[in-house]
């Protein structure tokens, strides 16, 4: 006990320091990030023909005849029949410029899913290590629709809630779209605004995702995007969700410049320009009320921007 108390390893009887290092390496290997569970492509035919082909999914127990070898080779080659994706779906993926296997698989998983939970489960089983691939495909599909489809917004929200890495991947993907907004047409901009409204309103992303926008040099397309997004947030059905959007960034001193710019935007482009924002007359009073509430929450006590 005295040796343990003094941390004197040499006086501890039968102490082997190599065991500590051995277990340390084992533990390090177990907690290493980036480990994924790869699903085995075991079909019903494999289970029914175990006696002829063997349990190939167990190491060293597989015996595969000519027919089995052909099927296994087809699986390795990634044919549409083995992957479960139709030729029509793969052709659609090609038209959408899904030029890598990972992008193609994510796209087909999204399009062939029954609902967002099914799509979420299928994408996770793909075990794609780069989360930005998943985020880019989801955002691409959301913007490619003629009209807003909430399916992609709900799926994005699910990934944001699941893992922060997906949340950051979606945020970076949206930033890339904001930088390239001049190449977007009216429908993709509207869909992007709806996507942002849903993610920010549901807490998947913070309002600070818009901090990359230069409000002092804002162009017409970005102005349209921010206006549609802010109108959607300010006119949310639940007032608590609306206030939580602004309350989430209110305490941050690092976002002081962004908050002041946002207050200026709300006051100039929404409060004063509410008659040109396309808001129905019955919602005008609610909009003005929530803008004033948001301005008070974004206001800083140290330095106020006077309008």
């Amino acid at each position: 006990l005295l040796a343990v108390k003094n941390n004197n390893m040499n006086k501890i009887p039968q102490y082997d320091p190599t065991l500590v290092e051995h277990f340390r390496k084992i533990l390090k290997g177990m907690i290493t990030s980036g480990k994924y569970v790869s699903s085995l492509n075991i079909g019903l035919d494999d289970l029914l023909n175990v006696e002829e082909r063997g349990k190939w999914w167990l190491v060293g127990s597989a015996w595969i005849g000519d027919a089995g070898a052909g099927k296994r080779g087809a699986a390795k080659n990634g044919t549409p029949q083995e992957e479960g994706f139709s030729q029509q779906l793969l052709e659609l993926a090609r038209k959408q410029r899904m030029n890598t296997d990972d992008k193609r698989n994510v796209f087909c998983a999204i399009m062939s899913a029954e609902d967002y939970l099914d799509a979420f489960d299928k994408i996770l089983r793909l075990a794609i290590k780069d989360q930005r691939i998943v985020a880019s495909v989801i955002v691409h599909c959301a913007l490619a629709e003629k009209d807003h489809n909430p399916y992609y917004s709900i799926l994005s929200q699910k990934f944001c809630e699941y893992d922060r890495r997906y949340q950051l991947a979606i945020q970076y993907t949206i930033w890339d779209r904001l930088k390239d907004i001049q190449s977007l047409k009216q429908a993709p901009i509207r869909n992007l605004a709806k996507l942002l409204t849903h993610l920010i309103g549901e807490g998947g992303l913070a309002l600070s995702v818009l901090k990359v926008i230069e409000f002092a040099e804002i162009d017409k397309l970005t102005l349209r995007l921010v206006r549609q997004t802010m109108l959607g947030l300010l006119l949310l059905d639940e007032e608590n969700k609306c206030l939580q959007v602004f309350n989430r960034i209110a305490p941050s001193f690092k976002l002081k410049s962004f908050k002041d710019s946002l207050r200026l935007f709300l006051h100039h482009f929404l409060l004063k320009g509410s008659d040109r924002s396309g808001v129905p007359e019955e919602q005008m009073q609610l909009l003005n009320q929530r803008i004033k509430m948001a301005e008070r929450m974004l206001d800083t006590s140290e330095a106020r921007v006077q309008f």
Side-chain angles (χ1 to χ4, degrees):
L1 293 177
L2 187 62
V4 175
K5 180 179 179 181
N6 296 330
N7 198 22
N8 191 346
M9 306 299 181
N10 296 326
K11 292 186 178 181
I12 299 178
Q14 298 181 350
Y15 173 74
D16 187 1
T18 59
L19 290 176
V20 177
E21 187 64 26
H22 174 66
F23 288 122
R24 183 181 297 170
K25 290 181 179 180
I26 294 177
L27 183 60
K28 185 178 180 181
M30 294 174 62
I31 64 176
T32 301
S33 60
K35 289 188 174 295
Y36 297 89
V37 178
S38 299
S39 58
L40 294 175
N41 295 321
I42 304 174
L44 178 61
D45 187 57
D46 294 318
L47 297 177
L48 295 177
N49 296 282
V50 169
E51 295 182 358
E52 291 81 9
R53 301 177 186 173
K55 299 179 181 179
W56 59 265
W57 54 90
L58 299 179
V59 178
S61 64
W63 182 88
I64 304 173
D66 294 337
K71 290 186 177 181
R72 201 71 64 238
K76 291 181 179 179
N77 293 333
T79 59
Q81 289 76 13
E82 286 294 326
E83 294 179 359
F85 302 137
S86 65
Q87 286 289 351
Q88 184 179 4
L89 195 56
L90 292 172
E91 179 63 20
L92 181 60
R94 186 189 65 81
K95 291 181 179 179
Q96 293 296 323
R97 299 187 297 277
M98 301 297 158
N99 49 12
T100 65
D101 290 339
D102 286 341
K103 286 185 177 181
R104 193 179 303 112
N105 290 334
V106 173
F107 178 84
C108 292
I110 293 174
M111 293 302 172
S112 62
E114 296 180 359
D115 54 19
Y116 79 97
L117 291 175
D118 186 30
F120 176 76
D121 184 59
K122 285 182 177 180
I123 293 174
L124 286 185
R125 278 187 287 175
L126 292 174
I128 296 176
K129 296 183 179 181
D130 189 357
Q131 290 79 21
R132 295 194 67 171
I133 293 178
V134 177
S136 64
V137 174
I138 296 176
V139 174
H140 173 87
C141 294
L143 271 59
E145 295 283 347
K146 293 182 179 179
D147 297 314
H148 171 64
N149 189 342
Y151 169 67
Y152 305 108
S153 301
I154 299 173
L155 180 60
S156 301
Q157 176 67 21
K158 181 67 176 178
F159 275 104
C160 288
E161 295 174 350
Y162 174 71
D163 196 321
R164 177 166 170 77
R165 290 176 296 178
Y166 284 104
Q167 183 185 44
L168 292 175
I170 292 175
Q171 176 176 292
Y172 292 144
T173 302
I174 291 176
W175 283 353
D176 292 339
R177 293 291 183 170
L178 291 176
K179 293 177 183 178
D180 196 33
I181 196 171
Q182 298 299 327
S183 64
L184 299 180
K185 297 182 180 180
Q186 184 174 355
I189 291 177
R190 182 176 61 251
N191 291 339
L192 181 57
K194 293 286 187 179
L195 176 64
L196 282 169
T197 300
H198 181 90
L199 291 177
I200 298 173
E202 295 296 328
L205 294 177
L207 186 58
S208 56
V209 70
L210 301 177
K211 66 183 180 181
V212 296
I213 296 175
E214 293 291 341
F215 285 90
E217 301 176 358
I218 194 168
D219 55 84
K220 290 184 178 180
L221 295 180
T222 308
L223 173 62
R224 182 186 305 168
L225 172 70
V226 178
R227 178 187 290 163
Q228 292 177 2
T229 303
M230 297 310 301
L231 284 175
L233 293 172
L234 290 166
L235 295 176
L236 287 172
D237 294 334
E238 299 182 28
E239 183 175 305
N240 290 335
K241 284 187 177 181
C242 174
L243 298 181
Q244 183 62 30
V245 168
F246 300 97
N247 188 51
R248 185 175 177 180
I249 65 170
S252 177
F253 181 77
K254 294 181 179 180
L255 297 175
K256 179 180 178 299
S257 177
F258 169 68
K259 289 186 290 184
D260 290 339
S261 299
L262 192 59
R263 288 180 58 232
L264 177 62
F265 182 90
L266 294 176
H267 186 85
H268 184 73
F269 291 104
L270 292 183
L271 190 61
K272 287 186 176 180
S274 57
D275 55 334
R276 302 187 303 272
S277 59
V279 180
E281 188 66 29
E282 58 272 12
Q283 291 184 320
M284 199 72 71
Q285 183 178 357
L286 176 63
L287 176 63
N288 293 336
Q289 178 184 354
R290 289 189 175 178
I291 287 176
K292 293 178 180 179
M293 295 171 64
E295 284 184 339
R296 287 196 298 269
M297 297 180 70
L298 296 175
D299 195 6
T300 56
S301 58
E302 296 182 1
R304 296 186 178 183
V305 178
Q306 300 294 334
F307 304 123

